[in-house]
């Protein structure tokens, strides 16, 4: 039976058992691209001066595109780790990246189409957008493990989530609420310390609070990102298992 509690429990177990690999996916694939993008923007601003705005815009668009592709790569690779873990296999970082990369084109296409559908839904008074993003939440694992194209993957996710969308939606909302409950006090602490320092405060305690708050916020952000990457794989497996029956081991071995 698919429940919010069981989805979060399995996602937590998957993350606990593969934290090093999942952390490396987020930090190793996403962070370097982000830092490179920021560096390029500042470098161009320092070179072109007053004309920076016009010159930086194309670079920003390229950086955003690369960041988007990097995040999709993290998502796709995390699905492979999740399925391997839940099937009893020993997940491999190299295998997850290889499989994710092999499916990047249809995943990128599906992500663009899904984003357009989501924005259209938001334009129709928000609720349709939430329904769309929930119904398409299983697109990436469907594309990866069933060899589908972008439109087929979107349609497959929409069909699989029928009757389960409320549970899918609440699973992601639960992660958001839990992480928000933890991060809000940390953000308040960090903002208070930053404000004190900006006003000329020299308290060592304020500097410690500022540094620790920033580190804790970054850590929680990374962990929440990992949850958002793992949950689709967990929900895909369990919903597919409940609706159609499933040999998870055979699914995990599809790329051998």
């Amino acid at each position: 039976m698919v429940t919010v509690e069981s989805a979060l429990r399995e996602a937590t177990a998957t993350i606990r058992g593969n934290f090093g690999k999942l952390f490396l996916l987020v930090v190793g694939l996403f962070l370097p691209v982000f830092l490179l993008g920021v560096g390029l923007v500042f470098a161009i601003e320092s070179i072109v001066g007053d004309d920076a705005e016009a010159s930086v815009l194309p670079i920003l668009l390229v950086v955003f595109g690369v960041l988007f592709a990097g995040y999709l790569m993290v998502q796709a690779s995390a699905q492979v780790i999740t399925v391997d873990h839940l099937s009893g296999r020993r997940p491999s970082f190299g295998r997850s990246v290889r499989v994710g990369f092999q499916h990047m084109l249809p995943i990128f296409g599906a992500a663009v189409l899904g984003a357009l559908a989501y924005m259209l839904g938001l334009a129709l008074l928000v609720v349709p957008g939430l329904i769309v993003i929930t119904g398409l939440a299983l697109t990436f694992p469907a594309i990866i493990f069933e060899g589908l194209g972008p439109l087929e993957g979107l349609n497959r996710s929409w069909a699989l989530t029928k009757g389960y969308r409320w549970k899918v939606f609440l699973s992601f909302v639960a992660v958001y609420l839990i992480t928000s409950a933890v991060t809000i006090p940390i953000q308040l602490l960090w903002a208070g310390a930053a404000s004190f320092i900006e006003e000329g405060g020299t308290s060592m305690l304020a500097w410690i609070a500022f540094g620790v708050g920033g580190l804790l916020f970054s850590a929680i952000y990374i962990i929440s990102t990992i949850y958002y990457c793992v949950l689709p794989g967990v929900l895909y497996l369990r919903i597919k298992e409940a609706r159609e029956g499933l040999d998870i081991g055979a699914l995990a071995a599809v790329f051998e």
Side-chain angles (χ1 to χ4, degrees):
M1 182 178 179
V2 182
T3 65
V4 174
E5 181 185 0
S6 66
L8 293 177
R9 186 172 59 250
E10 288 198 295
T12 300
T14 301
I15 293 169
R16 188 185 299 120
N18 303 278
F19 185 77
K21 300 179 183 72
L22 292 164
F23 180 85
L24 187 58
L25 281 175
V26 174
V27 176
L29 291 180
F30 193 67
L31 186 61
V33 176
F34 175 77
L35 294 177
L36 176 61
V38 171
L40 284 173
V41 171
F42 278 110
I44 291 173
E45 283 183 339
S46 65
I47 293 171
V48 301
D50 294 336
D51 298 326
E53 187 172 330
S55 301
V56 168
L57 182 58
I59 298 296
L60 283 175
L61 292 175
V62 171
V63 170
F64 176 78
V66 174
L67 281 173
F68 184 55
Y71 181 70
L72 296 180
M73 185 68 183
V74 171
Q75 279 268 2
S77 301
Q79 311 304 318
V80 180
I81 288 176
T82 301
V83 171
D84 280 349
H85 174 83
L86 294 177
S87 70
R89 297 167 62 97
R90 183 176 180 180
S92 163
F93 178 83
R95 165 185 154 91
S96 69
V97 173
R98 173 176 58 81
V99 172
F101 183 77
Q102 289 173 346
H103 294 83
M104 271 304 296
L105 285 179
I107 283 175
F108 189 88
V112 171
L113 293 174
L116 292 174
Y118 173 59
M119 288 188 288
L120 178 61
L122 288 181
L124 299 173
L125 302 178
V126 179
V127 173
L130 296 178
I131 295 173
V132 167
I133 199 170
T134 301
L136 303 182
L138 310 186
T139 299
F140 294 173
I143 287 174
I144 294 169
F145 292 101
E146 298 182 32
L148 305 178
L151 283 174
E152 293 172 316
L154 293 169
N155 289 331
R156 177 63 167 150
S157 177
W158 190 260
L160 278 173
T161 55
K162 186 177 181 180
Y164 291 92
R165 285 174 198 152
W166 188 240
K167 293 178 181 179
V168 172
F169 176 73
L170 288 179
S171 296
F172 286 97
V173 168
V175 173
Y176 173 78
L177 292 177
I178 292 169
T179 54
S180 295
V182 176
T183 55
I184 287 175
I186 294 172
Q187 285 179 294
L188 291 174
L189 173 67
W190 183 85
S195 177
F196 180 81
I197 292 169
E198 285 179 1
E199 292 174 2
T202 57
S203 169
M204 180 63 70
L205 185 61
W207 280 102
I208 293 173
F210 179 79
V212 171
L215 288 173
L216 287 175
F217 180 78
S218 299
I220 294 168
Y221 176 78
I222 290 172
I223 292 171
S224 65
T225 300
I226 291 173
Y227 265 97
Y228 291 132
C229 291
V230 167
L231 261 178
V234 172
L235 290 165
Y236 169 77
L237 283 180
R238 296 314 175 200
I239 291 175
K240 185 176 172 66
E241 186 176 47
R243 293 184 70 96
E244 305 170 352
L246 175 67
D247 182 345
I248 299 178
L251 188 71
V254 70
F255 301 111
E256 290 299 312

mmCIF file with all atom_site columns, all heavy atoms in Angstrom, residues 14 37 69 82 129 145:
data_model
loop_
_atom_site.group_PDB
_atom_site.id
_atom_site.type_symbol
_atom_site.label_atom_id
_atom_site.label_alt_id
_atom_site.label_comp_id
_atom_site.label_asym_id
_atom_site.label_entity_id
_atom_site.label_seq_id
_atom_site.pdbx_PDB_ins_code
_atom_site.Cartn_x
_atom_site.Cartn_y
_atom_site.Cartn_z
_atom_site.occupancy
_atom_site.B_iso_or_equiv
_atom_site.pdbx_formal_charge
_atom_site.auth_seq_id
_atom_site.auth_comp_id
_atom_site.auth_asym_id
_atom_site.auth_atom_id
_atom_site.pdbx_PDB_model_num
ATOM 1  N N   . THR A 1 14  ? 16.741 5.036  1.907   1.00 0.00 ? 14  THR A N   1
ATOM 2  C CA  . THR A 1 14  ? 17.585 5.098  0.709   1.00 0.00 ? 14  THR A CA  1
ATOM 3  C C   . THR A 1 14  ? 18.674 6.143  0.871   1.00 0.00 ? 14  THR A C   1
ATOM 4  O O   . THR A 1 14  ? 19.843 5.911  0.528   1.00 0.00 ? 14  THR A O   1
ATOM 5  C CB  . THR A 1 14  ? 16.730 5.424  -0.531  1.00 0.00 ? 14  THR A CB  1
ATOM 6  O OG1 . THR A 1 14  ? 15.733 4.412  -0.695  1.00 0.00 ? 14  THR A OG1 1
ATOM 7  C CG2 . THR A 1 14  ? 17.590 5.500  -1.779  1.00 0.00 ? 14  THR A CG2 1
ATOM 8  N N   . GLY A 1 37  ? 29.554 29.392 -13.128 1.00 0.00 ? 37  GLY A N   1
ATOM 9  C CA  . GLY A 1 37  ? 28.658 30.407 -13.668 1.00 0.00 ? 37  GLY A CA  1
ATOM 10 C C   . GLY A 1 37  ? 28.804 31.735 -12.960 1.00 0.00 ? 37  GLY A C   1
ATOM 11 O O   . GLY A 1 37  ? 28.886 32.799 -13.599 1.00 0.00 ? 37  GLY A O   1
ATOM 12 N N   . ALA A 1 69  ? 20.394 21.642 -16.754 1.00 0.00 ? 69  ALA A N   1
ATOM 13 C CA  . ALA A 1 69  ? 20.804 20.314 -17.220 1.00 0.00 ? 69  ALA A CA  1
ATOM 14 C C   . ALA A 1 69  ? 21.516 19.552 -16.103 1.00 0.00 ? 69  ALA A C   1
ATOM 15 O O   . ALA A 1 69  ? 21.326 18.340 -15.935 1.00 0.00 ? 69  ALA A O   1
ATOM 16 C CB  . ALA A 1 69  ? 21.714 20.444 -18.436 1.00 0.00 ? 69  ALA A CB  1
ATOM 17 N N   . THR A 1 82  ? 18.175 4.999  -6.351  1.00 0.00 ? 82  THR A N   1
ATOM 18 C CA  . THR A 1 82  ? 16.997 4.631  -5.563  1.00 0.00 ? 82  THR A CA  1
ATOM 19 C C   . THR A 1 82  ? 16.476 3.257  -5.949  1.00 0.00 ? 82  THR A C   1
ATOM 20 O O   . THR A 1 82  ? 16.205 2.404  -5.084  1.00 0.00 ? 82  THR A O   1
ATOM 21 C CB  . THR A 1 82  ? 15.886 5.682  -5.754  1.00 0.00 ? 82  THR A CB  1
ATOM 22 O OG1 . THR A 1 82  ? 16.366 6.960  -5.341  1.00 0.00 ? 82  THR A OG1 1
ATOM 23 C CG2 . THR A 1 82  ? 14.639 5.318  -4.951  1.00 0.00 ? 82  THR A CG2 1
ATOM 24 N N   . GLY A 1 129 ? -1.869 24.227 -11.815 1.00 0.00 ? 129 GLY A N   1
ATOM 25 C CA  . GLY A 1 129 ? -0.419 24.042 -11.887 1.00 0.00 ? 129 GLY A CA  1
ATOM 26 C C   . GLY A 1 129 ? 0.071  23.004 -10.907 1.00 0.00 ? 129 GLY A C   1
ATOM 27 O O   . GLY A 1 129 ? 0.939  22.188 -11.226 1.00 0.00 ? 129 GLY A O   1
ATOM 28 N N   . PHE A 1 145 ? 13.405 3.976  -16.918 1.00 0.00 ? 145 PHE A N   1
ATOM 29 C CA  . PHE A 1 145 ? 13.239 2.529  -16.748 1.00 0.00 ? 145 PHE A CA  1
ATOM 30 C C   . PHE A 1 145 ? 12.276 1.895  -17.740 1.00 0.00 ? 145 PHE A C   1
ATOM 31 O O   . PHE A 1 145 ? 12.179 0.675  -17.813 1.00 0.00 ? 145 PHE A O   1
ATOM 32 C CB  . PHE A 1 145 ? 12.807 2.223  -15.317 1.00 0.00 ? 145 PHE A CB  1
ATOM 33 C CG  . PHE A 1 145 ? 13.877 2.512  -14.316 1.00 0.00 ? 145 PHE A CG  1
ATOM 34 C CD1 . PHE A 1 145 ? 13.841 3.675  -13.564 1.00 0.00 ? 145 PHE A CD1 1
ATOM 35 C CD2 . PHE A 1 145 ? 14.949 1.649  -14.163 1.00 0.00 ? 145 PHE A CD2 1
ATOM 36 C CE1 . PHE A 1 145 ? 14.849 3.955  -12.664 1.00 0.00 ? 145 PHE A CE1 1
ATOM 37 C CE2 . PHE A 1 145 ? 15.965 1.926  -13.276 1.00 0.00 ? 145 PHE A CE2 1
ATOM 38 C CZ  . PHE A 1 145 ? 15.920 3.087  -12.513 1.00 0.00 ? 145 PHE A CZ  1
#
